[in-house]
Amino acid sequence: MVAAVTRATQTLLLAVTGAVLVRMAAGDAYLRYVNSWMRWPLVACGVFLIVLALADLWREQGSEDEDHDAHVPRAAWLLFAPSLVFFLVAPPALGAHFAERAQNATVPIKEASEVSLPPLPEGDTVPLTLDDVLFRAAYDDGATLADRRLELTGFVSRDKSGTWYVTQFGMNCCAADATVMRVAATGVEPPADDQWVRVVATHVPGTGDGGLDSPEVVVEELALIEAPKNQYR
């Protein structure tokens, strides 16, 4: 049997959980689990839990009739689980293992008349996000990508056939709703899975057309880089 939680212990758990949320949001650790706009909601939730804990402590100290050993449901111990995970396990951001099994991002199918793709900026090499590559490859056979050298950034992942990809995750709210944005790469030997890379590559015409399959690029240059603080798009 799991021991019941006393009210004093529950107060401590509230305070610890709130402190963990504030600590996560104060640094960059929260970016492993939720989108960047969630920083202030996390801070607000953490502060709210701490205030609840302090109010509960003040109420108990000010009451002579209340039973300080009163028990609350055992489920209250679950409040401590996120704190233990954060301090003891500290799960990393999603990576290659999850990318192999996750749902690929798809580009909504539209009529050609509904799509207006501006030309890429002038220059020998054009930095593009992976979602921009996916969208441009999905329409007009990737005409706006033709004969252009693209600079792409992401981590290395593979599929079951051994094809390697420059990969990033798109995320609306949290890691639970993440989708994979990836571009198949050829032309060079890939580094290890999860290694972040910056490549200069050219799009293979016809790949990614329609938005259902991953575009393919031929890599000309590859550089190993450090993972960014925010690894999601």
Side-chain angles (χ1 to χ4, degrees), residues 131-216:
D131 49 334
D132 199 1
V133 175
L134 290 173
F135 189 81
R136 289 175 179 274
Y139 299 101
D140 299 327
D141 196 22
T144 58
L145 302 174
D147 302 320
R148 300 302 303 272
R149 301 174 77 237
L150 313 174
E151 181 183 290
L152 311 175
T153 301
F155 63 87
V156 174
S157 69
R158 290 174 173 81
D159 62 16
K160 295 180 180 179
S161 68
T163 301
W164 78 277
Y165 298 84
V166 180
T167 310
Q168 269 194 288
F169 284 101
M171 184 170 65
N172 292 321
C173 174
C174 58
D177 67 13
T179 55
V180 179
M181 301 181 296
R182 61 183 188 176
V183 174
T186 60
V188 298
E189 288 296 318
D193 285 359
D194 291 317
Q195 171 64 56
W196 277 76
V197 296
R198 179 177 294 113
V199 302
V200 175
T202 54
H203 175 244
V204 177
T207 60
D209 189 27
L212 300 178
D213 298 319
S214 298
E216 181 179 330

Side-chain angles (χ1 to χ4, degrees), residues 30-113:
Y30 79 102
L31 292 173
R32 299 177 182 178
Y33 318 113
V34 296
N35 217 324
S36 57
W37 62 265
M38 291 289 291
R39 179 193 293 271
W40 294 113
L42 284 175
V43 171
C45 288
V47 171
F48 179 69
L49 289 177
I50 294 172
V51 170
L52 281 181
L54 293 175
D56 196 43
L57 181 63
W58 176 80
R59 183 183 61 185
E60 287 196 13
Q61 290 179 342
S63 174
E64 297 180 357
D65 300 326
E66 187 174 356
D67 181 4
H68 287 241
D69 292 326
H71 294 303
V72 295
R74 292 183 175 89
W77 282 110
L78 295 177
L79 288 170
F80 205 52
S83 303
L84 289 176
V85 169
F86 179 71
F87 281 113
L88 301 180
V89 181
L94 299 177
H97 179 77
F98 186 80
E100 182 181 333
R101 295 159 178 79
Q103 176 67 41
N104 282 1
T106 57
V107 178
I109 302 301
K110 300 180 181 179
E111 297 293 334
S113 59

